[in-house]
């Protein structure tokens, strides 16, 4: 069993390059997911052998042709820790470079390709959204990624005693976990924040990762977030992060 874990959404944008060796599936966290992500990776590589078909399936414009090339090479390309690979608003707020080793162990990232990876897992550059219907190379079928993952992600995360689930809807649907604690970002007037939602969830994850001791309940998450200077409370079974007035 894992005592606690924060699961973050991935990002479409990712850092290029890396200095780690090629992807080693056996080194990744959550070994029960290995069989599925091996199959998805193989099918993504196969799809990417035909750039035009891959761009259509992945819904990528001409300016993102390099993403298809990255997919074609994902089994051989260099790797870097997942927390450094993913970029964007949430990860800018999280600022992984400042998080100590103990804090990094509290963080995991959901993924259409890998299901869930630990923050320190070494992964390559790739592009695959959770909404894509990735063709199965052997049969030509195009199941949803939710169908391909089945119950595997749910079962892997069900071993966590306290799970803070910050995934977006698309990635939560790949493997919902009953009893997980979620978070909502609200304005002072109680309206849901959409545009900066990722920023504040990144700050919440950072507060948990930077805490001297890993929180073991939603109440303890509220405490560490408040200690970090955030307006956070517990309500309706979830953590409420209130955005400061402009």
């Amino acid at each position: 069993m894992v005592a606690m874990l924060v699961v973050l959404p991935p990002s479409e944008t990712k850092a290029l390059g890396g200095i780690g060796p090629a992807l080693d599936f056996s080194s990744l966290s959550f070994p029960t997911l290995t069989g599925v992500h091996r199959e998805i990776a193989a099918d993504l590589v196969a799809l990417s052998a035909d750039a035009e078909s891959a761009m259509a399936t992945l819904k990528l414009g001409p300016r993102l042709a390099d993403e298809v090339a990255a997919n074609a090479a994902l089994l051989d390309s260099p790797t870097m820790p997942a927390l450094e690979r993913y970029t964007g608003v949430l990860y800018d707020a999280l600022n992984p470079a400042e998080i100590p080793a103990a804090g990094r162990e509290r963080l995991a990232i959901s993924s259409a390709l890998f299901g869930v990876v630990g923050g320190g897992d070494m992964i390559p550059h790739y592009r695959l959204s959770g909404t894509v219907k990735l063709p199965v190379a052997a049969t030509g079928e195009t199941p949803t990624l939710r169908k391909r993952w089945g119950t595997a992600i749910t079962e892997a995360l069900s071993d966590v005693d306290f799970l803070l689930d910050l995934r977006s809807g698309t990635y939560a649907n790949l493997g919902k976990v009953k009893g997980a604690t979620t978070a909502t970002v609200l304005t002072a007037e109680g309206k849901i924040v959409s545009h900066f939602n990722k920023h504040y969830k990144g700050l919440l994850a950072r507060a948990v990762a930077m805490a001297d001791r890993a929180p073991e309940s939603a109440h303890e998450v509220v405490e560490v977030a408040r200690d970090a200077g955030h307006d956070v409370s517990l309500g309706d079974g979830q953590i409420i992060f209130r955005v400061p007035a402009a």
Side-chain angles (χ1 to χ4, degrees), residues 139-223:
T139 65
E141 295 176 293
T142 55
T144 63
L145 284 163
R146 180 178 180 180
K147 182 175 182 179
R148 294 188 70 149
W149 280 108
T151 61
I153 296 173
T154 299
E155 291 169 0
L157 293 178
S158 292
D159 284 338
V160 180
D161 287 334
F162 171 60
L163 182 69
L164 178 57
D165 191 349
L166 301 184
R167 292 177 293 174
S168 57
T170 295
Y171 293 93
N173 284 335
L174 295 183
K176 293 183 178 181
V177 181
K178 185 177 181 180
T181 297
T182 59
T184 297
V185 182
L186 301 177
T187 65
E189 295 78 22
K191 295 181 179 179
I192 294 176
V193 173
S194 55
H195 184 62
F196 290 109
N197 180 284
K198 292 179 181 179
H199 172 77
Y200 292 106
K201 286 186 175 179
L203 293 179
L204 180 61
R206 177 178 171 82
V208 171
M210 296 294 287
D212 292 336
R213 181 178 64 84
E216 298 178 356
S217 68
H219 288 283
E220 291 187 7
V221 170
V222 169
E223 290 176 3

Side-chain angles (χ1 to χ4, degrees), residues 11-246:
S11 61
E12 294 290 352
T13 57
K14 298 174 185 68
L16 301 175
I19 59 173
L23 176 62
D24 177 3
F25 288 104
S26 68
S27 72
L28 301 179
S29 304
F30 309 99
T32 58
L33 302 179
T34 301
V36 181
H37 56 56
R38 278 185 183 273
E39 293 174 358
I40 292 175
D43 288 338
L44 186 58
V45 171
L47 171 70
S48 301
D50 181 338
E52 184 175 346
S53 177
M55 291 177 71
T57 299
L58 301 175
K59 298 180 175 61
L60 301 177
R63 290 184 297 177
L64 295 175
D66 287 348
E67 299 287 83
V68 174
N71 284 345
L74 75 84
L75 298 177
D76 303 305
S77 58
T79 57
M80 67 173 65
L83 281 173
E84 297 171 20
R85 178 66 72 189
Y86 296 100
T87 61
V89 174
L90 187 150
Y91 292 91
D92 287 344
L94 179 64
N95 196 1
E98 293 185 357
I99 295 176
R104 286 179 169 235
E105 292 179 358
R106 301 168 194 169
L107 303 174
I109 302 159
S110 60
S111 166
L113 174 56
F114 297 111
V116 187
V117 291
D121 287 355
M122 302 294 286
I123 62 171
H125 183 104
Y126 72 93
R127 182 69 171 251
L128 180 65
S129 168
T131 60
V132 168
K133 291 185 177 181
L134 180 68
V136 178
T139 65
E141 295 176 293
T142 55
T144 63
L145 284 163
R146 180 178 180 180
K147 182 175 182 179
R148 294 188 70 149
W149 280 108
T151 61
I153 296 173
T154 299
E155 291 169 0
L157 293 178
S158 292
D159 284 338
V160 180
D161 287 334
F162 171 60
L163 182 69
L164 178 57
D165 191 349
L166 301 184
R167 292 177 293 174
S168 57
T170 295
Y171 293 93
N173 284 335
L174 295 183
K176 293 183 178 181
V177 181
K178 185 177 181 180
T181 297
T182 59
T184 297
V185 182
L186 301 177
T187 65
E189 295 78 22
K191 295 181 179 179
I192 294 176
V193 173
S194 55
H195 184 62
F196 290 109
N197 180 284
K198 292 179 181 179
H199 172 77
Y200 292 106
K201 286 186 175 179
L203 293 179
L204 180 61
R206 177 178 171 82
V208 171
M210 296 294 287
D212 292 336
R213 181 178 64 84
E216 298 178 356
S217 68
H219 288 283
E220 291 187 7
V221 170
V222 169
E223 290 176 3
V224 300
R226 287 176 174 172
D227 288 344
H230 304 306
D231 183 0
V232 178
S233 60
L234 194 61
D236 296 326
Q238 62 183 341
I239 292 171
I240 309 297
F241 194 124
R242 294 198 178 270
V243 177

